Amino acid sequence: MKLLVFLLLPCLSLSEVVKVPGFGECIQFFMNKDPPRFTPQWGNSVKKICQCVWDENDDQKYLYATLYNTDWKIPIYSAYVFKKSISVGRCDPWYIEPQLDGDAEPCMAPKGRKTLTYQAVNRDYDKSGYDKGHLYPVQHTYDHISMLATSTLTNAAPQNPDFNRDQWKKHEKAVIDDLKTCNSVAYVVTGVVPDHNKPKLKNRVTVSKYYWRATCCKKNGVYTGKGYFGPDQNNVVQTLSITGLQTLLAIEYGVDIVIFPGLLGGCIQFI
């Protein structure tokens, strides 16, 4: 099957649905290897995905983790480690995860497949008026392979194009500037709040109500976290503490959340 991966397209990524508790190899993308905790837990519609690609040596390279909701057909969050971002040529092939629909094929499949039961496909977005909004964004990738791995529909949700291309894009750049001041590895979790009051795309894919992002790293020896939430009034992105973000998300999700549970104090310092 690895040969098939390279024959399909030069911009092909794959991922791996974890069938056991935890995120497998992708647990490394959470601070202290401890994913966000939701109380109460969501049900069987939630799947843990370890996102990865084949590299030039025909080995799997793990890039980030995604918690995906097959009822909403959008991710709840994607988690990644921020490294020094560089300018890479963008390629948006947009693939899907066959394993979410019971296919044994471990590699990300190309677009254009038939409608699937448990995930979004490209045609769901056609003429919808929404962008495919990345959770792990291209701006935060650090090489060609990491860029390719972001272009999967399990890492995207319907996002207002004006917000996506303006304030949220500016926010992603501001996060880069902020995390460059870290003196340790920076951990990032980016999520989506679903809007259940709006019609689903093609009666299948839940539209996003809000996007959010949480970051945590050491600055001057202190674990420092920031939360981001948008669109707020006038399509701006609100900046707040991690505890403030968690309080907002508890209201919006209807469940309690601790974003960085593996760190004593939860990375609550806000600078």
Side-chain angles (χ1 to χ4, degrees):
M1 284 299 180
K2 293 182 181 180
L3 178 60
L4 177 60
V5 172
F6 289 111
L7 290 177
L8 285 171
L9 270 179
C11 293
L12 185 60
S13 63
L14 66 94
S15 57
E16 176 180 322
V17 177
V18 180
K19 298 181 176 62
V20 296
F23 283 89
E25 293 286 342
C26 289
I27 196 69
Q28 64 184 294
F29 301 113
F30 299 99
M31 177 164 281
N32 291 341
K33 300 182 178 180
D34 201 346
R37 297 178 187 173
F38 295 88
T39 308
Q41 297 288 325
W42 277 297
N44 294 331
S45 62
V46 175
K47 305 298 179 184
K48 298 171 181 177
I49 302 174
C50 184
Q51 307 278 16
C52 56
V53 300
W54 296 114
D55 67 14
E56 65 276 8
N57 296 316
D58 203 21
D59 293 324
Q60 282 181 293
K61 185 174 181 181
Y62 300 97
L63 279 304
Y64 62 104
T66 298
L67 189 68
Y68 192 82
N69 191 304
T70 57
D71 286 342
W72 304 345
K73 296 179 179 59
I74 57 174
I76 298 169
Y77 66 73
S78 286
Y80 55 98
V81 171
F82 177 83
K83 300 180 181 180
K84 183 179 180 181
S85 60
I86 62 173
S87 178
V88 295
R90 182 163 176 166
C91 177
D92 285 334
W94 291 111
Y95 294 94
I96 52 89
E97 177 48 65
Q99 292 186 53
L100 286 177
D101 278 84
D103 194 321
E105 168 58 51
C107 299
M108 189 66 67
K111 62 183 180 181
R113 290 169 57 107
K114 65 182 180 180
T115 299
L116 301 174
T117 302
Y118 296 109
Q119 61 192 294
V121 294
N122 263 312
R123 64 171 60 95
D124 291 326
Y125 287 82
D126 289 347
K127 300 179 181 179
S128 68
Y130 289 92
D131 283 352
K132 302 184 189 79
H134 291 72
L135 275 69
Y136 180 16
V138 170
Q139 282 200 79
H140 290 189
T141 58
Y142 52 90
D143 60 15
H144 187 68
I145 290 180
S146 61
M147 178 275 296
L148 294 179
T150 66
S151 291
T152 164
L153 285 162
T154 54
N155 181 52
Q159 190 173 33
N160 180 288
D162 292 335
F163 179 64
N164 182 35
R165 301 172 196 181
D166 187 11
Q167 290 297 322
W168 195 245
K169 185 177 181 179
K170 292 176 181 177
H171 149 72
E172 290 172 351
K173 175 60 169 62
V175 169
I176 293 173
D177 295 336
D178 179 61
L179 295 184
K180 284 179 179 178
T181 67
C182 295
N183 48 33
S184 73
V185 171
Y187 292 88
V188 185
V189 183
T190 305
V192 174
V193 174
D195 191 339
H196 297 298
N197 293 319
K198 289 185 177 179
K200 292 184 176 182
L201 305 190
K202 306 295 173 67
N203 202 31
R204 285 174 33 85
V205 180
T206 302
V207 173
S208 62
K209 184 178 182 181
Y210 300 107
Y211 269 59
W212 58 270
R213 177 171 281 112
T215 66
C216 187
C217 68
K218 269 188 177 180
K219 293 185 179 183
N220 300 319
V222 177
Y223 279 106
T224 302
K226 284 188 179 180
Y228 306 91
F229 191 85
D232 198 6
Q233 294 181 9
N234 301 318
N235 261 5
V236 301
V237 179
Q238 181 181 356
T239 304
L240 62 168
S241 67
I242 298 297
T243 51
L245 175 61
Q246 289 173 167
T247 299
L248 255 178
L249 293 179
I251 296 170
E252 294 296 337
Y253 282 130
V255 299
D256 291 331
I257 177 174
V258 179
I259 300 172
F260 298 113
L263 182 66
L264 183 63
C267 200
I268 60 175
Q269 181 76 16
F270 178 43
I271 298 177

